[in-house]
Amino acid sequence: GQSLEQPSEVTAVEGAIVQINCTYQTSGFYGLSWYQQHDGGAPTFLSYNALDGLEETGRFSSFLSRSDSYGYLLLQELQMKDSASYFCAATGGFKTIFGAGTRLFVKA
Amino acid sequence: GAVVSQHPSWVICKSGTSVKIECRSLDFQATTMFWYRQFPKQSLMLMATSNEGSKATYEQGVEKDKFLINHASLTLSTLTVTSAHPEDSSFYICSAPSAGGRGETQYFGPGTRLLVL
């Protein structure tokens, strides 16, 4: 079957750096994506890794290790508006399965 | 980026009625669209893959006769919840993959909140 694991909650202070880990198990794995979802809203795409290594997009970076079936999302210079749920999602077999989500609380 | 719209954004209906939700790709063509359901504080659960010109592919445990999917054109997919019951109350979200179609980048609609009384 397909499954992803990520922490349920993370709390950090404004200006800090936080890392959200994700391990996955999926057949025909193609890549790992990250999405942000604020309460009441739809998910928005943050980043995607198909190859091993680090992808950087502004304050957000994402990492993938295919051999370890592991990835993480790194958020730097945290802002209050970053408080949201973050989902890792594995694409394989032409469909994408989402993890349970990590709720990030950013404190002042 | 690409834009996906959903209509309606909110639906309240009586138990036993059917509800149709539309998902449109506004500035690109989508031969494939995905339908997800999300209960409060839970993850997005893939319900089915909608394929233009052919039958939808349903995930295990999703009743195809209850959740009717029609991909009428390259820009429109519809999900009909037939004979809705209170347990069908949820947030329904559609998405369309970026060009290339493997689904690695998906553009999500704003979602439809369904409340069945």
Side-chain angles (χ1 to χ4, degrees), chain B residues 51-62:
Chain B
N51 304 298
E52 190 270 336
S54 64
K55 291 182 179 179
T57 304
Y58 290 82
E59 294 301 301
Q60 191 172 7
V62 177

Side-chain angles (χ1 to χ4, degrees), chain A residues 2 30-31 33 35 37 39-45 47-48 87 91-92 94-101 103, chain B residues 32 34 36 38 41-46 49 59 91 93 100-111 113:
Chain A
Q2 297 178 316
Y30 192 75
S33 306
Y35 290 82
Q37 186 179 29
D39 285 346
T44 56
F45 172 78
S47 68
Y48 172 73
F87 295 90
T91 297
F94 291 92
K95 63 183 180 182
T96 299
I97 303 299
F98 285 74
R103 192 156 181 89
Chain B
T32 300
F34 301 97
Y36 293 86
Q38 186 178 35
K41 300 190 185 304
Q42 294 189 22
S43 185
L44 289 83
M45 301 301 297
L46 180 64
T49 302
E59 294 301 301
F91 189 42
I93 312 174
R102 283 189 177 269
E104 60 270 21
T105 302
Q106 294 190 47
Y107 300 102
F108 283 86
R113 293 201 179 278

Side-chain angles (χ1 to χ4, degrees), chain A residues 40-41, chain B residues 6-13 19-22 89-92 110-117:
Chain B
Q6 267 183 256
H7 177 80
S9 56
W10 264 102
V11 162
I12 301 175
C13 69
V19 175
K20 179 187 280 188
I21 302 170
E22 292 186 348
S89 299
S90 187
F91 189 42
Y92 292 86
T112 297
R113 293 201 179 278
L114 171 64
L115 176 61
V116 184
L117 302 177

Side-chain angles (χ1 to χ4, degrees), chain A residues 5-25:
Chain A
E5 289 191 17
Q6 54 184 125
S8 58
E9 278 188 16
V10 172
T11 301
V13 297
E14 212 172 1
I17 299 173
V18 71
Q19 178 173 312
I20 300 174
N21 298 320
C22 174
T23 57
Y24 60 87
Q25 183 176 6

Side-chain angles (χ1 to χ4, degrees), chain B residues 13-34:
Chain B
C13 69
K14 293 182 179 179
S15 184
T17 60
S18 293
V19 175
K20 179 187 280 188
I21 302 170
E22 292 186 348
C23 178
R24 293 182 185 272
S25 55
L26 296 185
D27 52 358
F28 67 106
Q29 294 182 333
T31 55
T32 300
M33 290 184 177
F34 301 97

